């Protein structure tokens, strides 16, 4: 297992349904500088597809993605 990336900001989107975790992550990323890492915690299974697609389309890097007991954690590096 790889080391968990360090992060500059954290967003807890637990209990929120699609597309709210992604919208909140977008707003949070807007506040961060380029190269900053945002850790997002979500409980919506659909968030996996959303975050993969968003990272690809927006040019951000999905450094790591973890799923454990219905909790999805993402580390997004801002483009």
């Amino acid at each position: 297992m790889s080391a968990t990336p360090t992060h500059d900001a954290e967003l807890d989107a637990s209990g929120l349904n699609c597309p709210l975790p992604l919208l909140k992550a977008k707003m949070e990323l807007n506040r961060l500088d380029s190269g900053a890492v945002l850790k997002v915690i979500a409980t919506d299974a659909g968030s996996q597809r959303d975050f993969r697609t968003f990272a690809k389309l927006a040019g951000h890097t999905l450094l790591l993605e973890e799923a454990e007991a219905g909790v999805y954690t993402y580390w997004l590096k801002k483009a």
Side-chain angles (χ1 to χ4, degrees):
M1 184 159 162
S2 62
T4 304
T6 56
H7 55 278
D8 302 289
E10 186 170 321
L11 171 67
D12 187 352
S14 300
L16 297 177
N17 290 324
C18 178
L20 285 172
L22 191 58
L23 290 174
K24 288 189 172 288
K26 277 185 188 176
M27 286 167 50
E28 193 64 31
L29 280 169
N30 286 342
R31 295 188 326 103
L32 299 173
D33 294 327
S34 181
V37 175
L38 174 64
K39 176 183 177 183
V40 183
I41 301 160
T43 51
D44 179 16
S47 67
Q48 287 187 297
R49 183 194 60 238
D50 290 349
F51 276 93
R52 288 175 193 151
T53 305
F54 168 66
K56 226 176 258 157
L57 292 176
H60 305 306
T61 307
L62 188 54
L63 298 174
L64 183 65
E65 176 184 332
E66 289 180 348
E68 193 176 315
V71 177
Y72 305 90
T73 310
Y74 308 94
W75 285 264
L76 275 169
K77 184 174 185 179
K78 185 172 177 176

